[in-house]
Amino acid sequence: MPSRTDIAACFVTGCLALAVGAAGAAPPGAGAAPPKQAIPSRIDFTNSLDLAKALVVDAPKPIVVQFGATWCGWCRKLETETFRDPTVLAMAPKFVWVHVDVDEQPAIASAFGARALPYAAIIDADGRVLAESRGFTDGKGYSAFLARGEAAFVPVRSGPIEAAAVPDRVRGLVEAMAPATSTGRTQCV
């Protein structure tokens, strides 16, 4: 007979797998659409990569690291045009944004290989590069870059998921697929 730990591990694994597919699905009979999030008027940047990584520990999001310099004309054009594009602004809340001035933080620029500006990388909290953008790009191109980074991002929560935090519909699906009376591999499948 499996231990409580084995059962809990299988339950959490199943919940995670199902939550990815079911989290966005509305429960049966729910007709109301979720409220729309207001589009920000600007993107809020931090200049600390360490701070950005700390911010995504409890609320996993991809991190956009935008490299530039005060003397870079294309960087200024990116800031005045691309970062004001409505599509880019609508996607902005899905990310944590970091601006790295290559003259002020050359070690970070070197670590990312930011040799030509503007340069941007979307990373996860562990620093893995999910997508890159080199040179100036308009709102449509930058939105596509953000979409690539978002698609490649796999959120990883720090710490275990509490059973109470799992939605009832997900818990029901897990129970239907792997009843607690099942044993071993059958229960985890």
Side-chain angles (χ1 to χ4, degrees):
M1 175 172 225
S3 70
R4 288 180 155 256
T5 305
D6 292 339
I7 292 170
C10 290
F11 178 78
V12 170
T13 303
C15 287
L16 285 174
L18 290 172
V20 170
K36 287 192 173 187
Q37 186 176 15
I39 296 175
S41 59
R42 66 185 182 91
I43 297 171
D44 290 322
F45 287 88
T46 179
N47 63 359
S48 170
L49 187 55
D50 291 334
L51 174 61
K53 287 180 179 182
L55 289 172
V56 299
V57 169
D58 292 328
K61 288 183 178 185
I63 301 167
V64 178
V65 186
Q66 182 67 51
F67 294 87
T70 56
W71 48 263
C72 171
W74 288 109
C75 300
R76 287 192 302 275
K77 185 175 173 87
L78 190 74
E79 292 168 7
T80 59
E81 293 179 19
T82 304
F83 292 156
R84 293 183 181 168
D85 181 273
T87 308
V88 174
L89 288 171
M91 296 178 78
K94 298 177 181 180
F95 302 87
V96 172
W97 295 77
V98 180
H99 182 267
V100 176
D101 185 308
V102 297
D103 294 326
E104 295 174 9
Q105 300 181 63
I108 295 174
S110 178
F112 278 88
R115 292 178 186 84
L117 300 176
Y119 168 74
I122 298 176
I123 64 170
D124 62 16
D126 294 326
R128 285 185 289 269
V129 176
L130 308 173
E132 294 178 290
S133 176
R134 297 180 187 278
F136 173 81
T137 185
D138 62 7
K140 183 178 178 181
Y142 207 89
S143 297
F145 157 66
L146 293 174
R148 285 193 313 272
E150 182 181 19
F153 179 70
V154 178
V156 178
R157 295 182 57 102
S158 61
I161 297 174
E162 297 295 325
V166 178
D168 289 336
R169 68 179 186 274
V170 173
R171 196 174 301 120
L173 287 169
V174 170
E175 181 60 30
M177 292 178 62
T181 56
S182 299
T183 59
R185 181 179 171 89
T186 306
Q187 186 177 10
C188 290
V189 174

